[in-house]
Amino acid sequence: MFDDIRRTSPIPLISIVETACRAAAERRLKRVGLFGTRFTMQGGFYQRVFAREAIEVTIPEPGDQEFIHDTYLNELVNGVVLAATRERYIAIARRMKKEQGIEALILGGTELPLLLRDAIGIGMMLLDTARLHVEAAVSELLS
């Protein structure tokens, strides 16, 4: 839908997905993991945009997706940040690195940095889409 809206918008729009893709491409990443809501992980829009740059986007296994989706909506959206949830997210990311070979993790939801921003020992780069999006907007305004 983003491209359709962008074509008809009277103001310039910046895609959070394209911005994240650009950041991954600049870092020469080839395979990244994606955390977010069920819709974000399963929607395919990250995968389609990243494929243009030959970057593979992988998602957690179904049980882990369910955990991430449920805790995102029931904890993080409500400002609840639990150490046990953080540890499980880190374990999922580490498993994805080991089993799927991801080089970085896309934080595909604005609340995810609340949980993972200070995640010590996650062992990979985090692409904070909210931060990248804001930086792109500021850069656009200043240019």
Side-chain angles (χ1 to χ4, degrees), residues 1-2 17 34-48 59 65-66 68-70 72-73 108-109:
M1 298 271 322
F2 181 83
V17 178
L34 173 62
F35 283 5
T37 63
R38 182 181 301 111
F39 176 73
T40 297
M41 291 185 282
Q42 295 177 4
F45 44 92
Y46 273 90
Q47 289 83 347
R48 283 189 294 280
I59 58 176
Q65 286 180 45
E66 193 67 29
I68 291 167
H69 176 80
D70 288 345
Y72 187 101
L73 294 180

Side-chain angles (χ1 to χ4, degrees), residues 86 107 111-120 126 128 131:
R86 175 184 291 114
L107 303 181
E111 287 79 11
L112 290 170
L114 298 172
L115 188 66
L116 294 173
R117 177 181 23 224
D118 300 321
I120 305 299
L126 300 176
D128 178 349
R131 181 181 192 90

Side-chain angles (χ1 to χ4, degrees), residues 39-105:
F39 176 73
T40 297
M41 291 185 282
Q42 295 177 4
F45 44 92
Y46 273 90
Q47 289 83 347
R48 283 189 294 280
V49 170
F50 278 62
R52 296 178 202 153
E53 297 292 331
I55 302 169
E56 183 180 356
V57 176
T58 67
I59 58 176
E61 60 185 47
D64 291 335
Q65 286 180 45
E66 193 67 29
F67 176 79
I68 291 167
H69 176 80
D70 288 345
T71 53
Y72 187 101
L73 294 180
N74 295 314
E75 293 175 17
L76 298 177
V77 168
N78 295 310
V80 177
V81 179
L82 301 175
T85 301
R86 175 184 291 114
E87 291 308 312
R88 174 104 183 254
Y89 276 49
I90 291 170
I92 294 167
R94 285 181 182 153
R95 189 168 52 254
M96 290 176 71
K97 181 179 181 178
K98 181 180 177 185
E99 295 175 3
Q100 299 175 10
I102 65 171
E103 304 165 279
L105 181 64

Side-chain angles (χ1 to χ4, degrees), residues 127-143:
L127 297 175
D128 178 349
T129 58
R131 181 181 192 90
L132 293 167
H133 200 216
V134 167
E135 289 170 356
V138 169
S139 178
E140 180 71 24
L141 287 171
L142 296 177
S143 62

